[in-house]
Amino acid sequence: MKQFLLSSLMFILSINVFAQNSNTITISGQVTDFDGNPIDSCGVALLYHKDFSSAYETISDKTGHYILKGVEKGQYMALVAIRSKDYPRENAVPEKDMRLEFWAWNVIADKDLTINPRYHRLELYGFQVFEVMGGPPYLWAYVRPMSLGKVLSYSKDVYLDKQKMEKVSDITIQPEDIDFKIYAGDEPLTIHSVQSAMEYCGEDNKPERGFFLQFDRPQKDSGNYCIFRIEATHKLFGGEKGESLYFYQKKDYK
């Protein structure tokens, strides 16, 4: 009996040690639209920073759930979600059903994560959060929203051609046509200012409009990092919606 108890204890301890030393985590969640309806067959991919290639990828099931197992711990450029047939360049669904991507940026894979992507017709690209040293006690965010309605305002021979679209299109949004909300987890944060700025992209330095937002720091303690969520509504084209996440690593100054 003693030998059995000793063996059982050693087995339990070995499981705990393995769990503590495991170098992998799981990322899972449910993909839905902004009305809570599940999206099946949605591609979900975790991307490397070095070349934006896919590190891990999967497809959501009929209930919108997905799971990425065996993800090596570390920091990744982004997690992206889109059902491939919804993307306009695929030309696989009617224009009214086309969509743009969901993004989560700077993903810190240090423990099992739940990320629930929602995507619609507004893509919130390049979302990041930062602080200005020595300034007011606020945080700043930057994001470049892109409108599917503006994509589809060009002819098919333009928006189906990636090079032509990138060269001639303007799918960014005017300041008066967009509303933003920012959350730290589920905590809503007050936005104090929204300022537009021009970003120059590509070989031709084509101008594209982005936005800087100044907002309150969260009151709730979230540990070593905080997951910020930005939502936006484009007032044109029937009210396009978009959402993005950013994993913000807190500074630990002396």
Side-chain angles (χ1 to χ4, degrees):
M1 184 65 177
K2 289 182 179 179
Q3 183 64 35
F4 173 76
L5 291 174
L6 180 60
S7 299
S8 298
L9 179 60
M10 293 298 294
F11 176 72
I12 293 170
L13 288 174
S14 67
I15 291 177
N16 288 336
V17 169
F18 174 79
Q20 291 171 6
N21 293 336
S22 174
N23 197 39
T24 64
I25 59 102
T26 295
I27 301 176
S28 60
Q30 184 183 28
V31 187
T32 68
D33 62 20
F34 276 77
D35 294 318
N37 300 308
I39 298 176
D40 65 283
S41 308
C42 179
V44 180
L46 191 65
L47 307 180
Y48 286 122
H49 179 275
K50 56 187 177 184
D51 57 3
F52 230 64
S53 62
S54 176
Y56 305 89
E57 56 188 41
T58 189
I59 300 291
S60 64
D61 63 20
K62 63 182 180 181
T63 66
H65 289 90
Y66 75 93
I67 185 167
L68 294 168
K69 293 182 178 179
V71 174
E72 184 178 357
K73 288 182 178 178
Q75 206 159 349
Y76 294 83
M77 170 71 83
L79 181 142
V80 60
I82 183 73
R83 184 163 50 187
S84 60
K85 69 177 184 179
D86 295 346
Y87 196 68
R89 199 165 292 127
E90 295 295 323
N91 198 28
V93 297
E95 289 186 350
K96 67 180 181 63
D97 296 325
M98 292 178 178
R99 299 289 184 266
L100 294 179
E101 303 101 304
F102 163 91
W103 293 90
W105 295 95
N106 194 44
V107 176
I108 300 173
D110 64 337
K111 60 186 176 184
D112 291 348
L113 295 172
T114 299
I115 298 177
N116 297 315
R118 296 191 299 171
Y119 68 88
H120 190 242
R121 296 169 70 87
L122 188 67
E123 180 180 349
L124 300 183
Y125 192 77
F127 175 49
Q128 60 179 292
V129 174
F130 58 96
E131 64 177 307
V132 175
M133 304 304 298
Y138 302 122
L139 291 173
W140 286 86
Y142 179 78
V143 67
R144 175 157 44 94
M146 296 185 284
S147 162
L148 179 58
K150 294 190 73 173
V151 171
L152 300 179
S153 68
Y154 293 87
S155 61
K156 272 192 176 182
D157 70 297
V158 174
Y159 76 69
L160 295 180
D161 185 323
K162 185 175 187 292
Q163 289 185 337
K164 189 181 293 186
M165 188 67 182
E166 289 179 350
K167 187 172 184 178
V168 307
S169 68
D170 176 11
I171 60 174
T172 56
I173 297 171
Q174 296 299 314
E176 63 271 18
D177 294 331
I178 192 165
D179 290 326
F180 293 102
K181 296 179 181 178
I182 290 186
Y183 301 83
D186 293 324
E187 179 187 352
L189 303 172
T190 299
I191 297 174
H192 295 283
S193 72
V194 178
Q195 303 172 41
S196 67
M198 301 311 295
E199 181 178 347
Y200 294 86
C201 304
E203 295 179 358
D204 298 329
N205 274 336
K206 188 182 74 172
E208 297 186 346
R209 187 180 301 278
F211 293 86
F212 287 100
L213 295 85
Q214 186 188 51
F215 61 97
D216 279 345
R217 294 175 182 269
Q219 297 299 309
K220 298 178 182 178
D221 184 10
S222 56
N224 293 331
Y225 62 86
C226 179
I227 302 176
F228 287 96
R229 175 167 54 94
I230 187 169
E231 294 180 15
T233 301
H234 187 198
K235 300 173 187 177
L236 305 182
F237 304 106
E240 299 175 315
K241 294 183 181 300
E243 179 180 78
S244 183
L245 303 181
Y246 182 79
F247 285 64
Y248 173 74
Q249 202 153 15
K250 296 178 181 178
K251 306 296 189 296
D252 185 20
Y253 298 118
K254 297 297 184 184

